[in-house]
Amino acid sequence: DNAGYIMGSNTTAAALESAKTLLKRFTFVLDQECLEDSVIALNDTLHLNITENMLSKYSIFHHHRTLSTRERIGNDTLYDFLQDRFRRDIELYEWSKTISILKCRELI
């Protein structure tokens, strides 16, 4: 029985739900789309001593992407293949945004 197995494009809905259940146990979930802002929010919540200068000095995420994923890949066939191959991963990521410490889309 492969009900809960991760198998690329054949990954089951049960595996996705299992991953969601695990993520729900995390106290903080950060969204890579606005990682710096999320780390700052985490810093503020936990009263850490991380400054924006520290983040911008080491962060590779400080730029805002202007191209879509399809445009960055530059090949529709490859893009469609990747969308299918990683559809459950994409579903999990999209869902994880709903429980993230920050809602990145609200920052725009």
Side-chain angles (χ1 to χ4, degrees), residues 1 19 37 44 53 66 70 72 80-82 87 100 104:
D1 179 25
D37 292 326
D44 295 346
N53 282 345
T66 55
R70 183 182 293 275
R72 287 194 316 270
D80 292 339
F81 168 78
L82 292 172
R87 69 185 170 86
S100 177
C104 298

Side-chain angles (χ1 to χ4, degrees), residues 10-53:
N10 296 320
T11 298
T12 64
L16 175 62
E17 292 307 314
S18 178
K20 287 180 181 180
T21 299
L22 177 63
L23 274 179
K24 287 178 190 175
R25 295 176 58 195
F26 283 60
T27 304
F28 299 102
V29 174
L30 306 182
D31 185 347
Q32 70 179 8
E33 186 176 347
C34 59
L35 186 58
E36 273 191 40
D37 292 326
S38 295
V39 170
I40 291 167
L42 180 67
N43 175 70
D44 295 346
T45 301
L46 297 178
H47 307 289
L48 302 173
N49 193 23
I50 300 171
T51 66
E52 288 187 43
N53 282 345

